Amino acid sequence: MRTHFQISRSAEYFDAEELQAQTGQPASKFGEVVLKELIDNALDACESVGIEPVISIGFAAIGDRMRIAVSDNGAGISEKVIDSILNFDTRTSDKAAYKAPTRGAQGNAFKTIIGIPHALGGGSIVIESKGLRHEINATATPAGTIDVDRQTSAIVEVIGTTVYVDMPFRECYPYWYARATALFNPHSFVKISSFNELSFSMVIADEENAETDNFYKRLGECQKIKPNEPTSAHWYNADDFNKLVFLQGLQNDIPLGEFIRQFRGLSSSAKAKQITGQLKQFRLVSDIYREPIAIESMRQAMQGESKPIQPKALGAIGEANLLDRLNLNRHWYKQVSGMIDNIPYVFEILIGESDGAHGFYHGVNHSPTFGDFLRQSSLKAGDLNGVGISGALAKIIDRERHIVIVHLIGIGLPFLDRGKSNLSLPAEMIENIASAVWHVAKTLHNEQKRADKDAAKAEKDEAARERAGENKTFINAAVFLVLEKAIQAATDMRRLPANVRNLFYKVRDFIQEHTTKELNYTYFSQDILIKYWQERGRDKLIYNDPRGVLYEPHRENEVQLGTFSVNDYLFPKHQFNKILYIEKKGLWHTIKAAGLHKKYDMAVIGGEGYASEAIRLLLEKAQVGQDYTIFVLHDADPDGYNIARTIQESTKRMPDHNIEVIDLGLNIQDAIDLGIPAETFTRKKALVKDLELNEIENEYFTGRFKHGTKRSYICKRVELNAMSAGQLVDYIDAGISKAIDAKQLAKKVIPDADVQLEKAAELFKSGLHAEIDALIAERLNIEALKAKLLEAYADAFDEQEFKVDEYLAGNELHTWSKPIQIAVDDKLEEISEAIDDGVTEWLKAS
């Protein structure tokens, strides 16, 4: 009979794949996860005790290791709290049941911070607070249990808490997060310092020494709802309130009146008595926590005795505070708010022209998010139409010139991921947000429209002058004359690769001696350069930037699909046998969450509309001498249908391109069958002649003529984003399953018997190594031997001069630590025989 083993789930905090699910972020962003969560914890710790936050951020990166540190001026972390953090069998959080505009992410963030270094290959955490230093090394065993090595020592007591995290290097952008923290928290003082060694010590920031470092001053008192403030009964629906009452009665039983007085607007004894008087048979929370009808009656009574909280109480950042943080030439700000079922929200957005900070800053509840929190929502208002705030502004905002700050405050916001960075909001709220975004963007949008119109007119006038003979050399001929010289210049005489835009700037300079016509980048890259490659052959030193990402199943590998990466990419053996191209890469997160890529052993390519040349080259590689099935998913509109066509057929850019692709849709008939409503759009360009359209598709895409225009038509379409997440997953699942049956494809990758045996031998050998190592270590007391040898040779490396500057003068590609490593290696080689003798003696004695 087999033994029944109990396997702990604690190791989920120490496994990279599980941590990705808990944090909502890929392992490549774990550095950001650690930094963001430490900052959020520090801010909450200060606000909870009524202290204006003073936050210090420290960062160091040496080679493949880094250290992140965050200090605060809060009340400090007690040993008891650290004990609970290191108990991985429970999740302790007030965010699990209380509804409030909280910063927090998972509610168990500190446990994930403890596990992340181990998941990435090893590291440690140090917590300094209340006069104690706790050095923590935690690892997961093969059985799923956690080994925690915690060394505690006394230190000089200082205010607050400092947490250090040592881990393998991952990008985490500390200066960006310092600015974002200051922007979303005007009541905080934020200081950041970088160090050139991993063993640095932090000092709590204060305003007296701030001028010597990078810092952001405090702008005023805290206006937001603090983490420890009472919540409102109006913020809970029946299920939420039932959960809160159940947990209270089960884990921390108190009198019913005391429980009621914890809520906003219900602190008076008179109101509590008024409510408990309707529940006379119940005295304690434990008396009522299994009575759903009574609980609902209490919730409604509490809502009746208290007023809903208005949006202004949520504490928006405000235009003035944002302007105090930034140096802007021009700016546009809008704040909107509302109440949905008596639950308030506030949305604010600022767009500014900046000579300093630029790009997008997205935040929810005074905390920066991992990217656009509406990245799967369609925003439409005025001339604004796109997916997500970043997508809607993509053609309006210049990321090198503009800064965009987006902030949403709400209660119980419906997140699509556990890392709380991707929202699915009610239509009413989306509409209000879209109008605010359009309000601040329309000036720039109109300016751009005028500039485009002026440019088009100038080009038209130039064409007329050319036809009149003013320019003797046409633009394409001029480009052909200088291209070889431009390639030489862009690549520094063929020493280094250059992208197409670099080449464009060289060409633009060189053609001045041949023509006065201004060269347009799109015309150059999409027309003239393609013709040049077709005549002369593509130059491998000129590359296209990535316009898509390949997501591999099982290995969780992401490949940016530019010309270089595609040329170097090798398909992994026995990993996947299908590839799905999606024209909107934002939908990848839904597919990933549903696990379709793993279910079908399928790589997913997230694109940006039409497949780039690099993507089409990759798909071509997948079918030349290989057996990968390729699928495509697209919008039900003319461009979507044309994407499916061009991804498999030849174009002027790739005249010899021809691969077999299975079109999953979306097509119009499927959208009708699924009940997905169509939207109208204005088509200004002719339909592609090669599109094969049925009667209903012709009706949707041809449309009706728009009076008052030269060649515009009012048409109908259905975008993938109009589907719910569940509809999208079911649609893809059904389409792939149908294709597998129709074409008798292999659903899963199953290599032949020889490969299976080879894998089994590899795993057995690895397991055998581990088993033998463990037994030898146990029998020979290896740890004691190591300790003895370390003690014997700890002082063997004498102080010496490393002549780092001299070494680097002849080895410019190395870092300063390289000569030190060489010296250490020499010393280790010198004492290796003595160490060997010590091991031999130990073995004989054993």
Side-chain angles (χ1 to χ4, degrees), residues 569-795:
Y569 183 74
L570 297 175
F571 287 91
K573 290 184 178 179
H574 317 306
Q575 289 290 317
F576 57 88
N577 57 5
K578 306 171 195 71
I579 303 173
L580 169 63
Y581 175 78
I582 314 172
E583 67 158 292
K584 294 178 175 178
K585 64 182 179 184
L587 297 178
W588 153 245
H589 301 285
T590 300
I591 293 171
K592 179 183 179 183
L596 289 181
H597 59 314
K598 295 181 178 180
K599 176 179 179 179
Y600 289 110
D601 287 349
M602 175 177 69
V604 177
I605 296 176
E608 300 174 8
Y610 286 87
S612 65
E613 180 182 359
I615 290 172
R616 296 175 70 201
L617 286 170
L618 180 73
L619 296 178
E620 205 169 71
K621 284 175 67 173
Q623 287 199 336
V624 176
Q626 303 189 76
D627 192 22
Y628 290 88
T629 303
I630 298 169
F631 299 89
V632 61
L633 184 72
H634 55 82
D635 288 334
D637 63 9
D639 280 323
Y641 279 45
N642 202 34
I643 285 169
R645 182 187 69 83
T646 57
I647 204 169
Q648 55 191 312
E649 296 179 5
S650 62
T651 61
K652 66 179 182 180
R653 180 188 287 266
M654 299 177 68
D656 300 323
H657 178 79
N658 187 17
I659 61 175
E660 183 182 351
V661 174
I662 297 175
D663 185 357
L664 291 180
L666 182 68
N667 62 57
I668 293 295
Q669 189 58 55
D670 285 346
I672 293 172
D673 294 342
L674 290 168
I676 304 172
E679 62 176 306
T680 59
F681 73 100
T682 301
R683 176 175 58 80
K684 296 182 179 180
K685 58 184 179 182
L687 290 172
V688 176
K689 293 180 181 179
D690 294 332
L691 288 183
E692 296 181 4
L693 303 176
N694 59 29
E695 184 177 349
I696 186 70
E697 290 165 348
N698 255 317
E699 178 188 335
Y700 270 56
F701 300 161
T702 301
R704 56 182 173 80
F705 180 70
K706 185 177 182 180
H707 296 291
T709 66
K710 290 184 178 180
R711 49 179 181 275
S712 295
Y713 298 84
I714 305 299
C715 308
K716 290 192 291 185
R717 67 184 176 196
V718 181
E719 295 192 10
L720 291 169
N721 297 99
M723 306 171 80
S724 71
Q727 278 181 315
L728 178 69
V729 169
D730 291 345
Y731 183 77
I732 298 171
D733 199 354
I736 295 174
S737 180
K738 182 179 178 181
I740 287 173
D741 291 341
K743 294 185 174 290
Q744 296 185 326
L745 304 173
K747 177 180 177 180
K748 301 290 289 182
V749 174
I750 304 177
D752 58 35
D754 289 343
V755 175
Q756 294 179 39
L757 283 172
E758 185 180 338
K759 183 65 175 178
E762 176 190 332
L763 293 173
F764 180 75
K765 185 177 180 181
S766 175
L768 189 59
H769 271 280
E771 185 70 19
I772 292 171
D773 287 345
L775 288 171
I776 290 174
E778 181 182 347
R779 295 288 178 86
L780 299 181
N781 200 353
I782 297 300
E783 291 302 319
L785 170 60
K786 285 167 61 177
K788 179 181 178 181
L789 292 173
L790 285 170
E791 183 180 1
Y793 294 100
D795 300 327

Side-chain angles (χ1 to χ4, degrees), residues 248-371:
Q248 183 81 60
L250 187 68
Q251 298 183 18
N252 186 24
D253 195 19
I254 56 177
L256 212 53
E258 183 181 338
F259 172 76
I260 292 168
R261 288 194 298 274
Q262 291 179 351
F263 287 80
R264 204 174 180 107
L266 296 172
S267 59
S268 74
S269 299
K271 287 187 177 182
K273 286 181 180 179
Q274 179 68 23
I275 297 166
T276 56
Q278 303 172 36
L279 304 162
K280 293 180 179 178
Q281 67 272 42
F282 305 109
R283 190 178 68 84
L284 300 172
V285 177
S286 60
D287 296 331
I288 197 174
Y289 82 122
R290 293 185 184 275
E291 302 289 341
I293 295 176
I295 292 172
E296 177 58 13
S297 176
M298 179 170 66
R299 181 180 76 94
Q300 293 182 15
M302 290 169 66
Q303 291 181 349
E305 290 292 330
S306 60
K307 293 180 180 180
I309 308 303
Q310 297 302 307
K312 64 180 181 181
L314 298 179
I317 303 168
E319 182 177 11
N321 282 327
L322 290 173
L323 294 180
D324 280 348
R325 290 280 193 225
L326 301 165
N327 181 20
L328 304 179
N329 302 318
R330 290 192 299 167
H331 79 279
W332 300 266
Y333 174 86
K334 183 67 175 177
Q335 181 183 134
V336 294
S337 60
M339 301 278 284
I340 297 179
D341 296 331
N342 280 334
I343 300 177
Y345 71 90
V346 175
F347 175 81
E348 53 188 330
I349 179 170
L350 178 142
I351 297 178
E353 289 181 344
S354 171
D355 296 327
H358 52 263
F360 282 82
Y361 289 76
H362 299 90
V364 171
N365 292 342
H366 299 273
S367 176
T369 57
F370 298 108

Side-chain angles (χ1 to χ4, degrees), residues 399-410:
R399 289 176 179 263
E400 299 300 318
R401 190 163 61 96
H402 296 128
I403 184 169
V404 182
I405 300 167
V406 180
H407 186 217
L408 175 66
I409 312 175

Side-chain angles (χ1 to χ4, degrees), residues 47 148 227 242 251 303 320 394 429 511 617 700:
E47 292 173 2
V148 178
N242 195 49
Q251 298 183 18
Q303 291 181 349
M429 196 184 297
I511 63 170
L617 286 170
Y700 270 56

